[in-house]
Amino acid sequence: PQVNISHGNQRVSAVLPTGESVEVMLYGATVVSWKDSDGNEKLWLSEATKLDGSKPIRGGIPLVFPVFGPPPANHPTSKLPQHGLARTSRWEFLGKSTSESEAAEADLSVKLDFGLSAATLDEAARALWPYTFGLIYSVTLTRDSLTTSLVVTNDDNKPFDVQVLLHTYFRIPDINKIQITGLEGAEYIDKVDNRKIKTQETPAVTITSETDRVYTPKGGADAPIAIVDQSSGRPLYKLSRDNLGDVVVWNPWAEKAVSMPDFGPDDGYRNMVCVEAGAVRGWQTLEPGDAFEGAQTITLA
Ligand code: BG6
């Protein structure tokens, strides 16, 4: 048995011979499903999300590029919508990467590549951010992990600034029973408290109300992050990062969840937490010909 890849007009999916699977919408190159060999879904996807390209996908792994959050005033990204243009653009499927890794040869892993560039961007989006850029996004599925990595290239003759974020919605059994580790001592911007700068004092982050924080862990991209079961301390997911020094933790909680028309069910906030690897505090300046690469690997524990 071989890796089974299906490529439709809207989505690409891959299934390993052992049963693990991943599904990516061409709209936004948004990963919308990742299942283990027993068919258990690892990502949270809103029941109320649009998947027809009329709105960003609520759930899975939306890609934030080239600006995180609402763009700042008087900046080259100012005209862009919240979280930029990557998640609302139609990407091209570039095919399965040939890899010389043993896992790939034995059909125990598969890497799918997606591309978006100034040349394939629709005109409306191009007018909002008029730079010649290239993006390659790779999604690698193994038996116990999912890696998503983004390479940004500046193909222009002038420099530009970017932010990058992998906005993962993790599916969890109960928000009251998990905690996030690896952030102790980290400075964060508290977006639900006037963007005050605070320090994470406790070893683990528990979520009991609306939470929207931009952490910069000590140890930068090397700090290992995990979502753990509160009572046993057993990790549900481990997150490792490459070149993505910031970690956003977001849960809308009850009231905000209800106020978002594309968020469902209303109590779905109990079964999700966004832990997002990114480079979003400040900007990555890319000179002509330069590239920026950032990646995350989520491992099932
Ligand atoms: C998080 C931000 O990354 O994304 C939040 O920190 C934001 O402020 C959330 O609310 C969801 O954003 P959106 O645009 O998908 O509703």
Side-chain angles (χ1 to χ4, degrees):
Q2 290 176 323
V3 175
N4 185 353
I5 297 177
S6 63
H7 176 200
N9 189 35
Q10 307 295 333
R11 62 181 87 202
V12 177
S13 59
V15 186
L16 299 183
T18 40
E20 298 80 2
S21 66
V22 68
E23 207 174 309
V24 186
M25 301 299 295
L26 293 176
Y27 180 68
T30 314
V31 179
V32 289
S33 168
W34 169 32
K35 289 182 184 160
D36 67 15
S37 59
D38 296 324
N40 297 314
E41 182 57 64
K42 301 297 163 190
L43 301 174
W44 185 86
L45 180 67
S46 168
E47 286 174 13
T49 191
K50 297 263 194 244
L51 291 173
D52 62 1
S54 61
K55 268 201 84 170
I57 294 169
R58 173 73 60 203
I61 314 180
L63 244 175
V64 171
F65 171 90
V67 62
F68 167 62
N74 307 315
H75 188 268
T77 59
S78 291
K79 288 189 202 151
L80 288 168
Q82 155 129 321
H83 293 337
L85 51 76
R87 67 174 181 165
T88 49
S89 293
R90 190 182 158 91
W91 291 57
E92 238 177 293
F93 177 47
L94 304 176
K96 173 181 130 172
S97 286
T98 41
S99 155
E100 278 158 25
S101 79
E102 274 177 42
E105 278 184 11
D107 276 326
L108 295 172
S109 82
V110 62
K111 183 174 180 193
L112 307 171
D113 290 334
F114 300 86
L116 180 72
S117 68
T120 60
L121 200 63
D122 69 53
E123 250 173 66
R126 191 165 158 69
L128 301 177
W129 196 65
Y131 293 98
T132 309
F133 68 93
L135 294 178
I136 303 280
Y137 186 52
S138 304
V139 176
T140 306
L141 173 71
T142 76
R143 292 215 59 193
D144 66 352
S145 71
L146 187 74
T147 299
T148 59
S149 77
L150 185 69
V151 180
V152 185
T153 50
N154 180 343
D155 303 323
D156 214 316
N157 53 19
K158 49 188 180 298
F160 58 69
D161 286 347
V162 300
Q163 295 176 327
V164 166
L165 179 85
L166 306 170
H167 196 307
T168 309
Y169 288 73
F170 289 89
R171 175 166 280 282
I172 50 168
D174 184 346
I175 191 72
N176 297 310
K177 293 187 177 147
I178 62 105
Q179 47 187 213
I180 301 154
T181 59
L183 297 168
E184 186 174 11
E187 195 180 83
Y188 65 94
I189 302 171
D190 192 344
K191 289 171 78 177
V192 298
D193 188 11
N194 287 316
R195 303 188 61 91
K196 273 192 201 146
I197 307 277
K198 302 182 179 174
T199 302
Q200 179 63 39
E201 306 289 357
T202 55
V205 179
T206 49
I207 297 177
T208 54
S209 59
E210 186 189 349
T211 301
D212 191 358
R213 302 175 178 177
V214 184
Y215 282 95
T216 302
K218 285 182 162 176
D222 292 332
I225 308 293
I227 300 175
V228 308
D229 175 71
Q230 233 175 74
S231 50
S232 64
R234 193 182 66 84
L236 305 171
Y237 302 100
K238 292 183 192 161
L239 175 66
S240 65
R241 296 163 295 130
D242 189 4
N243 216 13
L244 299 175
D246 305 318
V247 177
V248 179
V249 175
W250 180 63
N251 184 294
W253 213 252
E255 219 174 298
K256 178 122 192 249
V258 170
S259 77
M260 289 187 284
D262 63 347
F263 193 101
D266 283 351
D267 66 357
Y269 72 91
R270 291 186 185 157
N271 300 112
M272 54 74 65
V273 64
C274 288
V275 180
E276 314 160 24
V280 296
R281 259 186 105 162
W283 298 89
Q284 306 297 317
T285 302
L286 269 72
E287 297 296 331
D290 268 7
F292 172 85
E293 180 165 6
Q296 70 173 4
T297 295
I298 307 163
T299 307
L300 302 176

